[in-house]
Amino acid sequence: MSAQSLAEKLTMAGLEVVSLEKLADDWVLEVEVTTNRPDWLSVTGIAREIAALTGKKLRLPQATGYRLQAKTKSPEHVTCSPKPLSIEIEDKKGCPRYIGRVINNVEVRASPDWLKNRLESVGLRPVNNIVDITNFCLLECGQPLHAFDYAKIEAGTIIVRRAKEKEKIITIDGEERLLDSSILVIADKSRPVAIAGIMGSKDTEVSEKTKTVLLESAYFDPLTIRRASQKLDLDSESSYRFERGVDLETVFWASLRAADLFKEFATSSKGGLTIGRMEDNGLKKEKEKKISLNILRLSRVLGKDISVSEVERILRGLSFSLQKKTKGNLEVKVPSFRRDVEEDVDLIEEIARLYGYDKIPLTLSSLREPEGITLESGISRPQKIIQETLLGLGLDEVVSYSLIGRGLLEKINFSIDETLLKISNPLSAEQEFLRPTLIGNLLEVIAHNTKRQMEDLRLFDSGKIYLKKNHQPQEFPCLGLALSGRRYADWLRKTALIDFYDLKGIIEAVFCKLNISEFLIEPKALPCFSAACSVELKIHNQTIGFAGEISELVLKNFDLMQKVFLAELNLEKIFPFADYQKKFSSLPKYPAVMRDISFIVDEKIPYAELGNFFKENRYGLVKEINLVDVFKGGNVPAGKRSLTVSLKYQSPQRTLRDAEIDEIEARIRHGLVERFGAQMR
Amino acid sequence: MEEEIKDLEKAFSEDAVKADSLGGLEFLKTKYLGRKGLLSEYFQRLSAFEAARRPYVGQALNAVKEKVTRRIQELEKMLLQAQAKAEKTALDISLPGIFFRLGGEHILSRTTKEICFIFEKLGFAVVEGPEIETEYYNFRALNIPEDHPATEAFHTFYLESPPPAVHSPQKRAKNRGLSTVAYRLLLRSQTSTVQVRVMEKHKPPLRIISPGKVYRPDATDASHSFMFHQIEGFAVDTGVRFSDLKGTLFAFARKFFGQGIKIRFRPHYFPFTEPSVEVDISCIICKSNQPALARETTGRPGKPARPGRAERAGVTSSQKKQCSVCKGKGWLEILGAGMIHPHVFRAVGYDTKKYTGFAFGLGVERIAMLKYGIDDIRLFFENDLRFLQQF
């Protein structure tokens, strides 16, 4: 099989080969191992997978192991503890199994070339034969090993315990590390000699002078190792495997295998290497896991019938053993290295994976209609309406970051107080807060674009804002509007700049689309707006947003040279007032009559008052009121302005006579004079 | 009287010659044919004639009126033609039309909408969930154990103040012996949170699609952003099968990327699904989808880049022929999916024997980058109009 097709096969079985590298006479596969499969973090694990995929037999290296067990006769080079070794496990949860072994009379030297090449090919730096052998074993079977210089271990005693508060260790990388009681250490009588599962100490490291090695092969609790590694911000090939979980049974095998390799590659020319008795402490085996697999359920989950014999073949290939078989049920025994397999779906995945995902058909048929949830739920409908309206009005949609920095809030004069939601682990100062407003983001976008000569901007952002309310964090869907630059710029019309009324018109259009007519605009001083143009928007006396012209000061903070008009509406407060019910009313049968009324009034009288006057005086016949002209200067006296309002009269019952309109108009004119001191034109 | 009629006719002829504009013609019309015009004046005088002469004079007058009317019509036609000709030369039709500004939908919005639309057609309902979440919804209920290496894929922003339990499952979590840590507030690192929220409130059958923002504290570069958009989809019912997941995603991919697209399901691992799958589509740029997944490299590759990320600049001359988007692999990873893990069903109290379900999650930025060949994720959030207006 070519390396490429092997890589393809592995990838399609879930062990993704991310690169293939050709060496002189070999290939290096770089694989991405998912966190659930620590058993794949070794050559053996991958070989096992390949065997299952190809149907070939798996052959593991011999670990003859110089097993010294009480009853067996010791081979000549195994001596009964040439040096004393005692192992105490104080924390049995943190370290369920610890195997120590003393290897005497080693010669520390460079590894043979093949070993060096092997290590280098996967990016490990060869150190010396002792360290290289431990690394080789780690890569081979996935079990991290550690070699101590035995001479440096006080009284040949190993204690696996929690570190004492403020205890210190200088690790192999030369760093001094401060420990605490959450961290598991390997210690001798007086001090820690390794941070368990992560890194050994500098002063017990194997050196050229080392004559005797203490070889550690152990199982450390994944969570304990992971937390220590995170706390110390220190990780290693070992910790990577321990925190994912090694195999309790491989702990033993690795110790045997390493002993073999020491014998072969660390014996001095003078000979005399002896391998001490294995001190094996703690749990030897975990409770066997058995899972019942129903063949019918398998095909129901996958949507494909797979025969029992096929299932058996696949599971056996993956080293599962099948205990017994009742009709349609298999009892599957899980090998110890498959910590990830816990229930039947895990087996179903194994079967599907090896069977081939590609052989499972495509179906759509079994899907039933859901009940109770409508296709368009929540806020998506009004949001869609608003978005369409704004796009139609020529606004560009922007999407901006919900996390912002203190600096941006300061730029818009936003007070940084208790109501803000703060991130406890931001990566940068720009991610310190969840934004309480869209203003900062919108101004940033305007600044970005104007700096690049795009000055005519009409933008909206329908993101969320986030605030604490009643001490609870809350998020509100919002609508931010920002306008700047020219209203239009074409050859036909005189160029005009955008002003507040453009912004107001857009807000009115949105409300019109949502069928909300009863909204008010009231002056209200807000920190980022200019004094002259800063308003609050209200529906039924409830504030639903604000709008205004950005103050000079704030503009300066963004290096903006042009006016910006900005609004922010809280959609959640607006939506309850939206009305999507449409009802037909018959078309008018009789013609309408249009009449204009022009008058001069004090310019301090807001139009809203005049507008309300017209609305209140419809006499049942005024259907529409439109302001068509506002004029100052010319022959209009200073301090006054001239207004022209166009009124549309119409009756649903009859054609109106001139005389009756004249009469109503006279009354309206009279009212204007009486109420506002208007001067008719 | 006859004399007068003749004079009138003569006067009209003289006036008609002078009428060289539509305005002049209108004046002519009023003068002779108007309600108070000359002809009507003559007709009014008819009654003054003795009865015997009236028909004769009347006839003569009618004849004149007819002549006048015809002449005026001729003149009008002539003048209109002349005017049309003149206008035709005066109007520069090549001047640009008056500019109407069109608003542009953000490309992320549009992509989200397009994707949701396809799933809505397949019967999925759109539901949104909160961005501020608890560890319970973001991790525990999704079978992501505390401090497990699996959480590394889900770097998460936490909120600072430890507030009291706000979200509902206080009791449930207590019953399950979860620590109070499960109530720590965070910004969701995936939209899968919506699965649990919806299943807590509704019974199957369910078919839900849920778009939204997610957050991960990853250093920002061309292919990473601390905020991005995901779309979660899931279906739960009696008898939902892995084959249905395949069928659904295939239907989606064909609708979204085009009929010719090939799709590949690769086993993967996610804590909340089992079996899990990563879905690849055939490269939409080079369309090569060659079988060889991994390529030969010379020299040691660094940390491998995910296919399709913005690494165009890094393509060296020796790799020139290779597609910059799929890196010669022929496949592009587009989403993660799987059958909902029984642990997730247990968290919401569903009967794991009765119900099965599938779930999938895709990144909107990634899909948009692939579809439009965008090479830097930061462009989405910079909101440069020159970028936004391209779509």
Side-chain angles (χ1 to χ4, degrees):
Chain A
M1 189 188 302
S2 73
Q4 282 86 353
S5 68
L6 177 64
E8 170 77 8
K9 257 195 157 56
L10 285 171
T11 296
M12 293 313 289
L15 182 53
E16 191 181 356
V17 177
V18 290
S19 78
L20 258 181
E21 187 188 346
K22 179 95 176 80
L23 295 185
D25 55 352
D26 211 347
W27 290 86
V28 175
L29 283 72
E30 183 168 339
V31 292
E32 193 184 304
V33 176
T34 51
T35 53
N36 62 325
R37 294 301 302 269
D39 61 306
W40 276 345
L41 292 169
S42 67
V43 174
T44 306
I46 289 164
R48 203 181 275 129
E49 185 66 30
I50 295 170
L53 279 171
T54 56
K56 297 258 163 39
K57 199 169 151 37
L58 177 70
R59 272 186 303 168
L60 291 178
Q62 289 279 314
T64 57
Y66 312 109
R67 310 174 183 228
L68 187 70
Q69 291 177 4
K71 287 172 198 162
T72 49
K73 193 170 169 281
S74 36
E76 32 120 1
H77 52 270
V78 177
T79 63
C80 281
S81 298
K83 309 260 167 148
L85 172 63
S86 106
I87 291 161
E88 289 167 37
I89 304 176
E90 277 183 16
D91 183 352
K92 290 219 158 52
K93 195 181 159 286
C95 177
R97 188 176 198 181
Y98 193 104
I99 299 175
R101 209 163 197 194
V102 178
I103 294 132
N104 204 9
N105 285 330
V106 297
E107 185 181 69
V108 180
R109 55 175 189 250
S111 297
D113 284 348
W114 70 265
L115 180 53
K116 282 199 253 181
N117 291 342
R118 277 287 170 91
L119 295 175
E120 274 169 348
S121 71
V122 297
L124 284 184
R125 188 176 51 87
V127 181
N128 55 47
N129 53 349
I130 307 298
V131 174
D132 293 352
I133 286 168
T134 59
N135 281 335
F136 179 82
C137 281
L138 172 141
L139 293 170
E140 188 179 62
C141 67
Q143 171 64 42
L145 300 171
H146 186 66
F148 296 99
D149 184 339
Y150 177 85
K152 311 277 174 63
I153 307 284
E154 198 183 315
T157 302
I158 287 292
I159 304 163
V160 186
R161 60 163 169 88
R162 296 286 172 145
K164 293 169 191 149
E165 289 297 330
K166 307 247 169 79
E167 207 166 12
K168 283 177 186 163
I169 184 169
I170 295 172
T171 41
I172 286 173
D173 56 9
E175 295 278 325
E176 185 181 74
R177 316 237 170 217
L178 186 65
L179 308 174
D180 65 43
S181 64
S182 73
I183 297 167
L184 191 70
V185 293
I186 312 302
D188 63 9
K189 284 270 187 205
S190 55
R191 68 208 160 119
V193 293
I195 302 168
I198 303 176
M199 199 174 275
S201 74
K202 183 89 188 151
D203 61 354
T204 57
E205 188 185 10
V206 170
S207 70
E208 284 157 35
K209 292 178 196 137
T210 302
K211 285 276 165 282
T212 308
V213 166
L214 167 56
L215 178 71
E216 164 196 293
S217 180
Y219 182 102
F220 298 116
D221 171 52
L223 206 54
T224 307
I225 301 305
R226 180 169 171 78
R227 286 185 175 153
S229 162
Q230 283 176 337
K231 187 168 256 171
L232 298 167
D233 193 19
L234 176 66
D235 52 28
S236 61
E237 290 280 344
S238 297
S239 68
Y240 190 85
R241 285 167 178 78
F242 282 122
E243 66 182 42
R244 280 160 177 74
V246 297
D247 174 26
L248 203 63
E249 291 174 27
T250 307
V251 171
F252 180 74
W253 190 90
S255 184
L256 298 181
R257 174 73 170 146
D260 281 356
L261 295 170
F262 279 131
K263 175 72 187 155
E264 198 170 346
F265 302 110
T267 306
S268 79
S269 47
K270 286 170 258 159
L273 180 136
T274 57
I275 295 169
R277 183 193 174 86
M278 197 185 254
E279 291 293 331
D280 188 354
N281 291 265
L283 202 61
K284 310 284 187 279
K285 243 186 168 139
E286 266 174 303
K287 204 173 155 245
E288 218 167 61
K289 269 186 292 187
K290 283 178 193 160
I291 297 168
S292 168
L293 176 69
N294 183 289
I295 296 296
L296 203 62
R297 172 157 154 91
L298 169 79
S299 63
R300 279 202 189 125
V301 170
L302 295 181
K304 169 83 191 173
D305 291 331
I306 302 175
S307 70
V308 179
S309 60
E310 180 78 0
V311 169
E312 286 182 8
R313 190 188 61 78
I314 290 169
L315 289 176
R316 287 217 172 87
L318 289 166
S319 315
F320 290 88
S321 45
L322 303 169
Q323 291 292 89
K324 61 177 177 196
K325 201 165 58 170
T326 58
K327 207 173 142 207
N329 278 301
L330 294 174
E331 195 171 280
V332 182
K333 203 179 107 189
V334 182
S336 68
F337 52 83
R338 290 304 303 272
R339 306 169 53 82
D340 60 305
V341 176
E342 284 169 341
E343 52 185 303
D344 67 351
V345 287
D346 299 316
L347 294 174
I348 291 172
E349 179 176 70
E350 290 305 291
I351 295 158
R353 198 165 72 70
L354 273 282
Y355 179 76
Y357 279 9
D358 57 325
K359 287 190 213 141
I360 292 166
L362 303 168
T363 58
L364 274 176
S365 53
S366 79
L367 301 179
R368 278 196 294 161
E369 278 297 321
E371 294 151 23
I373 297 179
T374 50
L375 281 185
E376 262 185 358
S377 61
I379 54 167
S380 62
R381 179 173 181 191
Q383 259 174 347
K384 215 177 265 179
I385 294 174
I386 290 176
Q387 198 206 28
E388 278 162 13
T389 307
L390 295 173
L391 292 173
L393 291 171
L395 277 78
D396 286 307
E397 185 184 22
V398 301
V399 173
S400 51
Y401 293 125
S402 318
L403 295 179
I404 60 174
R406 184 177 294 268
L408 189 57
L409 289 169
E410 280 164 0
K411 273 175 153 182
I412 58 168
N413 284 342
F414 201 95
S415 63
I416 294 166
D417 60 23
E418 286 306 293
T419 61
L420 294 187
L421 290 166
K422 215 168 169 212
I423 298 297
S424 68
N425 57 334
L427 281 185
S428 78
E430 279 76 53
Q431 301 165 355
E432 202 181 344
F433 296 102
L434 273 163
R435 64 179 173 199
T437 171
L438 301 170
I439 298 174
N441 297 92
L442 283 166
L443 287 173
E444 271 187 335
V445 174
I446 290 190
H448 172 96
N449 282 289
T450 50
K451 270 180 203 132
R452 289 159 183 81
Q453 293 98 38
M454 287 164 293
E455 284 139 5
D456 300 329
L457 301 161
R458 303 162 146 241
L459 310 171
F460 74 98
D461 187 337
S462 42
K464 284 177 175 173
I465 63 165
Y466 312 79
L467 282 166
K468 232 181 274 173
K469 244 192 151 182
N470 308 322
H471 306 289
Q472 298 305 332
Q474 288 191 27
E475 48 196 272
F476 304 96
C478 268
L479 173 66
L481 301 168
L483 310 179
S484 193
R486 293 170 298 183
R487 180 177 298 147
Y488 38 67
D490 57 53
W491 56 272
L492 192 64
R493 289 172 292 188
K494 206 172 143 228
T495 295
L497 293 178
I498 275 170
D499 65 24
F500 175 72
Y501 301 109
D502 293 270
L503 182 62
K504 190 178 172 187
I506 289 167
I507 296 170
E508 285 168 340
V510 167
F511 283 140
C512 174
K513 210 61 189 170
L514 295 173
N515 247 332
I516 299 171
S517 51
E518 299 302 314
F519 80 97
L520 288 176
I521 288 193
E522 287 177 2
K524 161 112 184 181
L526 293 160
C528 66
F529 292 136
S530 72
C533 182
S534 176
V535 304
E536 200 172 43
L537 304 162
K538 287 180 162 181
I539 301 178
H540 293 313
N541 236 1
Q542 194 190 350
T543 303
I544 51 97
F546 49 81
E549 180 186 338
I550 298 296
S551 72
E552 289 289 332
L553 209 73
V554 173
L555 288 180
K556 234 174 121 187
N557 292 337
F558 290 88
D559 295 325
L560 276 164
M561 313 291 281
Q562 59 187 67
K563 287 182 172 187
V564 175
F565 297 88
L566 204 142
E568 184 173 294
L569 311 183
N570 186 326
L571 296 182
E572 213 161 69
K573 286 184 180 166
I574 293 171
F575 291 158
F577 299 107
D579 178 10
Y580 314 112
Q581 300 297 322
K582 301 279 179 193
K583 204 168 169 287
F584 169 76
S585 52
S586 26
L587 303 180
K589 290 192 182 70
Y590 302 96
V593 177
M594 308 297 299
R595 293 277 182 93
D596 286 358
I597 296 182
S598 294
F599 54 97
I600 293 170
V601 281
D602 196 311
E603 68 178 356
K604 288 202 186 73
I605 297 171
Y607 175 73
E609 283 182 29
L610 298 161
N612 284 338
F613 169 80
F614 283 106
K615 277 183 212 158
E616 285 156 15
N617 294 281
R618 291 171 186 266
Y619 300 95
L621 295 176
V622 177
K623 292 291 172 237
E624 275 177 30
I625 303 149
N626 285 305
L627 178 68
V628 294
D629 188 46
V630 179
F631 179 71
K632 276 197 275 190
N635 54 5
V636 177
K640 305 218 175 232
R641 57 180 175 174
S642 161
L643 301 174
T644 301
V645 173
S646 169
L647 301 178
K648 180 176 165 183
Y649 299 84
Q650 195 167 31
S651 163
Q653 283 102 24
R654 63 204 151 81
T655 302
L656 295 175
R657 286 173 293 114
D658 277 357
E660 63 184 319
I661 295 169
D662 288 347
E663 198 198 320
I664 294 168
E665 199 179 309
R667 284 200 221 165
I668 293 171
R669 285 171 185 275
H670 183 71
L672 285 170
V673 174
E674 289 283 297
R675 286 265 306 268
F676 304 105
Q679 181 196 334
M680 291 300 143
R681 301 197 81 190
Chain B
M1 182 71 190
E2 287 91 340
E3 279 304 308
E4 283 181 62
I5 292 171
K6 275 204 180 107
D7 286 348
L8 177 71
E9 205 181 331
K10 199 176 159 205
F12 173 75
S13 302
E14 282 165 14
D15 281 349
V17 172
K18 280 182 253 164
D20 56 357
S21 71
L22 282 167
L25 188 68
E26 197 57 37
F27 179 77
L28 194 70
K29 217 169 166 178
T30 319
K31 183 176 174 186
Y32 289 91
L33 297 173
R35 205 149 45 104
K36 293 171 185 168
L38 290 172
L39 272 159
S40 95
E41 194 182 305
Y42 275 71
F43 275 111
Q44 271 165 22
R45 279 165 56 193
L46 262 183
S47 56
F49 286 88
E50 52 189 279
R53 283 199 45 173
R54 246 183 258 161
Y56 174 72
V57 179
Q59 224 169 21
L61 267 178
N62 271 327
V64 173
K65 189 182 176 183
E66 205 173 300
K67 264 190 205 162
V68 168
T69 309
R70 204 184 310 127
R71 179 83 177 115
I72 283 176
Q73 277 170 355
E74 279 166 12
L75 277 171
E76 194 171 21
K77 198 174 165 192
M78 208 179 75
L79 285 167
L80 280 172
Q81 277 169 349
Q83 186 187 320
K85 211 171 168 185
E87 274 171 2
K88 197 175 163 190
T89 47
L91 179 72
D92 179 359
I93 53 160
S94 65
L95 278 172
I98 291 306
F99 175 66
F100 284 95
R101 220 192 144 98
L102 295 173
E105 194 174 9
H106 195 283
I107 187 58
L108 290 176
S109 272
R110 203 170 90 191
T111 307
T112 303
K113 215 182 264 180
E114 281 170 9
I115 294 169
C116 288
F117 182 71
I118 294 170
F119 284 106
E120 282 176 70
K121 289 214 149 189
L122 291 168
F124 285 72
V126 178
V127 173
E128 285 177 52
E131 294 169 24
I132 300 173
E133 269 293 3
T134 59
E135 287 193 317
Y136 177 76
Y137 286 106
N138 198 64
F139 293 129
R140 302 304 157 256
L142 291 169
N143 192 34
I144 306 172
E146 207 172 329
D147 269 336
H148 190 269
T151 56
E152 269 166 24
F154 306 98
H155 286 162
T156 305
F157 283 114
Y158 286 87
L159 295 198
E160 199 161 68
S161 57
V166 260
H167 296 285
S168 64
Q170 186 178 12
K171 230 173 154 183
R172 179 176 294 115
K174 258 188 192 152
N175 293 341
R176 275 153 224 261
L178 287 168
S179 66
T180 49
V181 172
Y183 301 111
R184 273 205 296 173
L185 289 178
L186 46 77
L187 294 179
R188 65 174 175 192
S189 53
Q190 66 220 353
T191 43
S192 305
T193 50
V194 180
Q195 274 184 40
V196 184
R197 288 196 169 270
V198 170
M199 288 195 278
E200 275 180 344
K201 285 204 195 104
H202 301 274
K203 289 280 153 236
L206 288 173
R207 250 181 287 170
I208 303 295
I209 189 97
S210 183
K213 290 188 169 81
V214 299
Y215 303 85
R216 292 181 195 175
D218 289 331
T220 303
D221 60 27
S223 50
H224 295 89
S225 175
F226 63 87
M227 177 185 97
F228 57 100
H229 295 76
Q230 271 191 343
I231 298 178
E232 177 81 7
F234 64 98
V236 184
D237 199 356
T238 53
V240 172
R241 302 161 298 180
F242 190 73
S243 57
D244 297 322
L245 170 66
K246 282 188 71 176
T248 304
L249 293 179
F250 186 66
F252 159 72
R254 292 236 306 195
K255 270 262 188 314
F256 190 81
F257 292 106
Q259 293 298 309
I261 210 81
K262 290 198 183 86
I263 187 164
R264 185 172 88 160
F265 291 76
R266 201 157 36 73
H268 199 70
Y269 168 67
F270 303 108
F272 31 87
T273 49
E274 189 81 17
S276 299
V277 55
E278 258 184 350
V279 180
D280 299 334
I281 54 163
S282 48
C283 181
I284 47 180
I285 307 301
C286 68
K287 298 188 170 64
S288 78
N289 81 304
Q290 49 205 278
L293 169 108
R295 68 189 161 84
E296 230 177 283
T297 54
T298 47
R300 218 180 139 70
K303 190 86 184 126
R306 290 240 157 247
R309 297 232 169 122
E311 308 246 321
R312 288 159 177 242
V315 178
T316 61
S317 58
S318 66
Q319 302 164 331
K320 219 187 312 183
K321 270 185 239 151
Q322 217 170 63
C323 172
S324 63
V325 176
C326 69
K327 307 272 181 294
K329 291 181 179 179
W331 293 99
L332 301 169
E333 177 197 322
I334 56 157
L335 57 85
M339 299 302 287
I340 297 173
H341 198 288
H343 282 324
V344 180
F345 285 155
R346 284 174 200 128
V348 297
Y350 278 12
D351 182 349
T352 58
K353 290 221 168 58
K354 189 171 172 195
Y355 295 116
T356 49
F358 64 70
F360 57 87
L362 51 85
V364 181
E365 281 81 358
R366 176 162 173 80
I367 297 261
M369 286 169 91
L370 290 178
K371 186 163 179 175
Y372 301 99
I374 298 163
D375 60 4
D376 192 328
I377 197 169
R378 288 167 293 202
L379 285 166
F380 292 115
F381 306 107
E382 205 173 64
N383 296 298
D384 191 306
L385 282 191
R386 294 165 300 180
F387 171 76
L388 296 180
Q389 291 177 345
Q390 287 181 30
F391 305 101

